Structure formats: structure tokens, C-alpha cells
Amino acid sequence: MPLSTQSHVRDEHYVLAASLDNVRNLSNILKAIAFKEHAFFNATANGLKVTVENSKCVQANAFIQAEIFQEFTIHEDSVNFQVNLTVLLDCLTIFGASTVPGVATALRMCYSGYGYPLTLFLEEGGVVTVCKINTQEPEEPIDFEFCSTNVINKVILQSDSLREAFSELDMTSEILQITMSPSQPYFRLSTFGNSGSAHYDYPKDSDMMELFQCTKTQTNRYKMSLLKPSTKALSLSCKVSVRTDNQGFLSLQYLVRNDDGQICFVEYYCCPDEEVED
Amino acid sequence: MDCVVTGSNVKVLAKAVHSLSRLGDELYLEPQENGLALRTVNSSRSAYACFLFSPLFFQKYCFPQNSVLRCKIVAKSVQAVFKSLSSLEKTVEKCRIELNSEKSRLTFTLHCKHGLLKTHNLSFQDSESLQAVFDKDSCTNVLTAQPKLLVDTVLHFPPSLEEVTMSVNNERVLFRNHVEEDTELSKAMMTELCLSAVEFDQFTVDTQTEITFCLKELRGLLVFAESSSLPVSVYFDEPGRPVVFSLTDSVLEVNFVLATLSEEFHPHNCSNSNTNRLPAPPAPDDFMNDDMDSYIIAMETSEVAGDSSCPLPPQDPLIPQQSKSNEEQHKFRVESESEDEDEQQEEEQETVEENGRPPNKKFRSLFFGSVLPSSSQMSNKTVRSQKILASDSEDETALDSP
């Protein structure tokens, strides 16, 4: 195995080295947050956290735990870098995005530290492609300060039921209004579009509702354009947790099961659009 | 109005809405004593469709006894309610339709599996009744077939084809497309398909004739017919008079009325159609005769072309007049906003034909009525009197006024 011995020698120079037998376990989850070009990577001994932001109003995080990787070596407490996510995804799917059963692209990803490019070795069927992506000056993502102690309302739904609603949402509506309440309508998604209004109500005792913890009636509006990208995460996920805090900030946590049955998380934070006058 | 549809009938309703949305941009909804009517007309007003769901179709059907409710809704918004036909079948258990005239709101409530409730509040406009004037029973030719026969027939024609010609005699029905003479030979394709009388459940041809009508609109009906497996009846007689495609069930009546080309001056047609006419069918009244078309065109374009306020003499095949009516027809078409570009081009190509081979053909406009509340209860068959037809001539303004 000339490639692996070589890389072991080189590992000395890398602050971060990670290997994956199936690159789809990384590329799929990155696609779920790929709504802006620039992605901030933060690696710790626990794994990789990738952050994408838009307009300082919405933030998406993908968490890929160290256990997902076959090898995950980090020589510093925390390694941060920023790359163009579109370019990275193009490289990760360089052997084609289609899935052929039994054929997987293997990945080794290395980073030597500030100022160095991110180096990718991709191998499929004995063919190796080396990609070097220039890293950018990292911009620290904003802290939404979404803290579980401030959470007012929380529901966990099976993604299927929410997926249907999101696929049917009236996109002529500028906002999506989410109502969460301990009494009726419990959990409601509303749109106000050209042709009128539409409401989707989920009762708290529905089979689709895995957890219902609402303490206070809250109605908040979120920009449809900001929430739209989260449907990518929704389509990958099997469960979704919807939470709102005391300021109306929205957290959507998606539980994603990868090809190998391992669990990853994608999280979206979105700030409310405006106060709703009663 | 308040009505509830359950089970598989929800899908029938959804398919009807999809079928209507293929044809027109606006949906006319009218709760009547004999059921809920959903109607539409296409932008060039050459095709009209009506679904009448009888009260038995619904689990519950309440309609306003003393007030008249009619509304016009954007077809796309109703279609959005029934967006995914495949998931609809699996998830929707019940659909409730409420019409609230005070709030000007039409509400569709879908009760889905797992307790999910989808509520769509649509705004609507008050409207006049939309009613095409046609008379199935006076048609001398009636064909009834299983939907599959017609679906399979239509399948052979390219999707882009605008019109198809159907000619009948005592033994068979022939479908074919028309190939323009100026079409490049390498691109021209002529498809001709012959169905024998035995393939039909009913085959009544009293008049050997040949009619040409829009294919796209017919396809919309056939999609519905195929899903409901109801036999399709075709009522027609001479070219220029509407052809009616009809489905009837104990709880549902569907009529698609398509204009046909009037080709009485067509040399090829003269030799072919209207020749073996067995019994001359009595003309229902003067207005139903051939001069109606030029009369309508004159009416509709009188503002544009000031000198054409008097109806064109109908039976006069003079060339200058022909070009004039073409021009007027074109103007009228441009005015209607959502006119399909291709269709328009095709129309132009056809009418601006230089060698004059298929010269004098044009679509007969269908005639729509702003029917008074009392007369709205009349069935299609009875809408024949001159009185109503006269009020029809103002349809353009009457229909668009809120």
C-alpha cells in the first residue's frame, strides 16, 4: 500500500488528516447545507463541524462525528479553515455523484495549517485524483446563542410528514409562519400567498409527533427564502426537531442516517422575520 | 355552501381539477341544486369544460337555497390544493369545501392521515355563470367508446400537434392530422388512423362528416376518462358546430365542448363532407346557424375596426373579406393575454396560407352566456332560446366583470 505508507510519513506535517471509505457520507451531508459558497470548517477531536451562513439571518451547521471517519487525526485542539463549498463538493463528487451499488469513492483529506490548501485524495477503482483547494481567511460564524434553557417550545416530528408539507408550501408566500402552542392548533405551518392562505396543522397526538413539549403559544414568521434551503436537509433526514426560544429564534435539527446507518446531524438556525401583532 | 368528499372521491375531484386546469386559467365554481358545477373555458374560447358532481357524490352537500353563489378562482391555486395526486390517494381521507360569500373565501380542508389537517383559504371573485351553448341531443352522430380506445388513438399523434381531423362514415372513423402544404417535406408527417365501427360501444352515424378540433384539450379529458374508466361519448355533426365529449356516471357528468373548424368552403372538404347527409337535421334556431361566427367576430372586434360593426355576410366566400376576417380574428387573439404562442403561430400559418388551399377555415367561437339566476338551473339542453343567446353576445364584458 504505497499510498498509505506515504501518507503516514506525511501525517507529521498535517494538523488534520481524515479518511473515509465512502465519500458520500461526507458529500451528502454537505449538500444539505450548500446554499452559500463559503463554508467554515471547525475540526476538534470530536469531529468536523461545517457552517454556512446567509445574510446573518440563517445559519446551517453540519456535524460529522470523528467516528464516521475511518481515520481522524488532529494535532491541535481546534483547527479552523474556510473553503469554497461548491468547489469542495465538485471535488468530492469528481467520480460522479451517481450511486453504483458496491462501488464507493474513498477519501483522504489533509490540511497542513493556516495558509495551506486543503488537499483531497480521492480514489475509485484504483484511480487516484488529488485536489488542492485554496483555503480562505476564516470568518468566524455568528453565535446565535440558541440555548436549550431558553427554549419555549419543542416538537420532534418524523421527517416524512414535514417533507410533504414543505413540498406543497405555497412559494408565492414571502414568509412561513410557525405557530406552536400547548392548545389548539398545537403545531401549525402557515403561508400567505397570492391565492390566499394555507395552514398545515399537526395535532399533538399524531403518530408523526414523537415529542411535544410546548409551554406557551408562540407565533413567529420566518422568511421563506431563508428556510427554503433547509428542505435539502429535510429530504435527507428521518427525524426533525423544531424548537423556538424566548426571542422567537428557530432551531431545526435534522437527524440524518448515512449509507452505513450511522447518524449525523444538520442544524439550521433562523432569526424571526418580524414581530406578529395580535 | 358546505360539502364533504370522502375516500376515493377525493381523487376523482382532484383529477377533475387537474383536468380543468390543463384547459383554462380560471375555474368557475357554482353550487347548484343538482350538484356542484366546476367549469372552465380556454383563453381562446374554443374549448369549454364542465364537471357536474351530483349531491350523491358528496358525503354531505349543502348549497344555499335562497342566495346564488358563483365564484371564479385562479385554476392554479385550486390545483395547488391537490398538488400531488399520488400522495393524495395515500394520505387524504376527507376533503371539505366551504364557500363563504361574506368573507369572499373558498376553503378547502383536507383531513389527512396521522391527524394532519391542511386548510387552504382561497380568495375568489364573484362571477356570472359560465355556460356554453351546446345541444348534445340534436347531434346526428354519436359515438361511444371505452376511454382506452381513444387514449390509444390519440397516443399516435405527436404531443405538439394542435388539431386533429376526425371523419366518419357508416363503417369507420378516421383520425388524421393536416399537413400544411408549405411544410418541408423532410419534416412533414401525416398520421392516419382508422377505427372500425365494431370497436365502439355505440356507433350512430346519420351524417357522414369530417370535423377538425383541438387535440390538447381533448387530451385533458382523456386523462380523466382513463382514470375513471368511464366510457366517452362523442356528439357531433357538421364542421363548424361544436363537438361534445361526454362522460356520464350516476354521480358525475362531464362535458367537454370543443369548437370545430368550419370548412364549408374547403374544396377538398366539399367533396368529402356534407355529401351523404341522410336526414337534414333541423337547425335549432337562426342563431345556431353558420353566420354566428362572423357575427361574433364582428361583435368582438367592432371597437378595433370601426367599419366592421355590421355582421359580415356569412356565406360570401370573397377573398378580400376573408383576409379581413383573418386580420380581425388575429387582433382578437392578440388581445387575449394568455394565448398560447405556438397555437397563435399555427393559426396564422393556417390563415395566411398563400396558395389558398385550406383557406377558409377558422375556429368557430363557442358562445357563453351570462345566464340569469333563474335560468341557470336549466340544463344544457334547454339553453336554446333566442332570448338567452341574445344576452350571450355580451359575454366578454359580462364574464370579466367581478
Side-chain angles (χ1 to χ4, degrees), chain A residues 161 164-165 167-170 188 194-203 205-208, chain B residues 74 77 80-81 83-84 87 91 105 110 112-123:
Chain A
S161 61
E164 192 191 328
S167 69
E168 290 178 4
L169 283 182
D170 180 1
R188 166 176 274 193
N194 293 340
S195 56
S197 64
H199 305 287
Y200 288 77
D201 296 346
Y202 295 79
D205 53 1
S206 166
D207 310 342
M208 290 297 182
Chain B
V74 179
S77 23
V81 175
K83 200 166 185 179
S84 159
S87 80
T91 59
R105 189 179 273 186
L110 303 179
C112 307
K113 274 203 177 126
H114 311 294
L116 174 59
L117 201 66
K118 300 178 187 174
T119 315
H120 294 262
N121 298 307
L122 310 180
S123 45

Side-chain angles (χ1 to χ4, degrees), chain A residues 53-65:
Chain A
E53 284 180 349
N54 185 12
S55 317
K56 303 265 182 220
C57 292
V58 68
Q59 183 184 79
N61 294 298
F63 300 91
I64 307 113
Q65 297 99 300

Side-chain angles (χ1 to χ4, degrees), chain A residues 3-244:
Chain A
L3 182 65
S4 56
T5 38
Q6 212 174 27
S7 54
H8 273 298
V9 178
R10 280 197 193 165
D11 269 357
E12 311 299 319
H13 310 289
Y14 295 132
V15 293
L16 173 71
S19 309
L20 258 179
D21 286 346
N22 183 1
V23 74
R24 277 169 47 83
N25 289 347
L26 178 65
S27 60
N28 270 353
I29 203 151
L30 291 183
K31 276 180 200 158
I33 59 163
F35 60 88
K36 276 277 167 184
E37 285 226 315
H38 304 292
F40 178 85
F41 282 71
N42 168 245
T44 62
N46 292 330
L48 201 59
K49 177 184 171 189
V50 189
T51 307
V52 179
E53 284 180 349
N54 185 12
S55 317
K56 303 265 182 220
C57 292
V58 68
Q59 183 184 79
N61 294 298
F63 300 91
I64 307 113
Q65 297 99 300
E67 295 78 60
I68 305 286
F69 296 91
Q70 274 65 51
E71 181 212 343
F72 194 83
T73 318
I74 182 163
H75 294 302
E76 288 172 20
D77 289 346
S78 169
V79 175
N80 294 336
F81 59 91
Q82 186 172 311
V83 290
N84 184 316
L85 186 57
T86 318
V87 173
L88 175 63
L89 278 170
D90 282 348
C91 293
L92 293 178
T93 53
I94 203 158
F95 286 107
S98 63
T99 50
V100 184
V103 180
T105 308
L107 165 76
R108 183 171 170 79
M109 183 169 75
C110 307
Y111 179 60
S112 300
Y114 184 80
Y116 286 92
L118 177 70
T119 311
L120 306 173
F121 301 91
L122 290 138
E123 187 269 339
E124 187 179 306
V127 181
V128 177
T129 306
V130 183
C131 308
K132 288 188 177 178
I133 305 170
N134 286 340
T135 51
Q136 304 162 339
E137 192 68 47
E139 277 176 58
E140 280 285 331
I142 35 173
D143 185 358
F144 271 71
E145 290 172 356
F146 195 94
C147 172
S148 55
T149 50
N150 291 335
V151 167
I152 304 283
N153 294 316
K154 176 180 181 178
V155 297
I156 297 180
L157 284 160
Q158 290 190 19
S159 297
D160 284 341
S161 61
L162 211 55
R163 205 155 29 225
E164 192 191 328
F166 266 78
S167 69
E168 290 178 4
L169 283 182
D170 180 1
M171 286 302 156
T172 63
S173 172
E174 273 193 19
I175 55 113
L176 175 69
Q177 181 175 294
I178 301 180
T179 304
M180 290 164 96
S181 168
S183 56
Q184 278 212 326
Y186 305 114
F187 179 64
R188 166 176 274 193
L189 304 175
S190 311
T191 54
F192 305 88
N194 293 340
S195 56
S197 64
H199 305 287
Y200 288 77
D201 296 346
Y202 295 79
K204 67 174 180 179
D205 53 1
S206 166
D207 310 342
M208 290 297 182
M209 191 76 78
E210 300 222 335
L211 180 85
F212 184 85
Q213 280 177 359
C214 292
T215 55
K216 200 179 130 195
T217 302
Q218 257 188 322
T219 300
N220 292 300
R221 297 179 160 205
Y222 305 92
K223 276 224 164 24
M224 189 70 95
S225 57
L226 295 176
L227 283 185
K228 182 73 186 146
S230 71
T231 42
K232 286 185 190 171
L234 184 63
S235 60
L236 279 178
S237 66
C238 41
K239 283 179 196 177
V240 54
S241 152
V242 184
R243 298 180 297 165
T244 51

Side-chain angles (χ1 to χ4, degrees), chain B residues 82-135:
Chain B
F82 304 105
K83 200 166 185 179
S84 159
L85 283 176
S86 53
S87 80
L88 200 78
E89 195 171 27
K90 281 179 257 158
T91 59
V92 181
E93 288 163 350
K94 194 164 95 171
C95 170
R96 183 171 180 187
I97 311 168
E98 288 162 286
L99 188 62
N100 186 328
S101 55
E102 281 165 22
K103 288 184 184 165
S104 250
R105 189 179 273 186
L106 178 69
T107 305
F108 287 86
T109 314
L110 303 179
H111 297 255
C112 307
K113 274 203 177 126
H114 311 294
L116 174 59
L117 201 66
K118 300 178 187 174
T119 315
H120 294 262
N121 298 307
L122 310 180
S123 45
F124 66 84
Q125 286 183 301
D126 290 334
S127 79
E128 296 297 316
S129 182
L130 178 76
Q131 184 69 71
V133 178
F134 63 96
D135 183 7

Side-chain angles (χ1 to χ4, degrees), chain B residues 28-64:
Chain B
Y28 294 76
L29 185 139
E30 187 180 337
Q32 301 170 166
E33 192 178 2
N34 59 344
L36 180 68
L38 289 175
R39 306 185 174 102
T40 194
V41 60
N42 70 350
S43 56
S44 56
R45 308 205 149 212
S46 60
Y48 159 91
C50 174
F51 285 77
L52 181 68
F53 298 98
S54 87
L56 285 173
F57 177 82
F58 302 90
Q59 191 193 50
K60 173 188 169 191
Y61 183 77
C62 298
F63 83 102

Side-chain angles (χ1 to χ4, degrees), chain B residues 3 48 87 191-192 243 249 254 308 319 356 369:
Chain B
C3 52
Y48 159 91
S87 80
T191 308
E192 205 174 85
V243 55
D249 182 59
V254 187
S308 65
I319 304 300

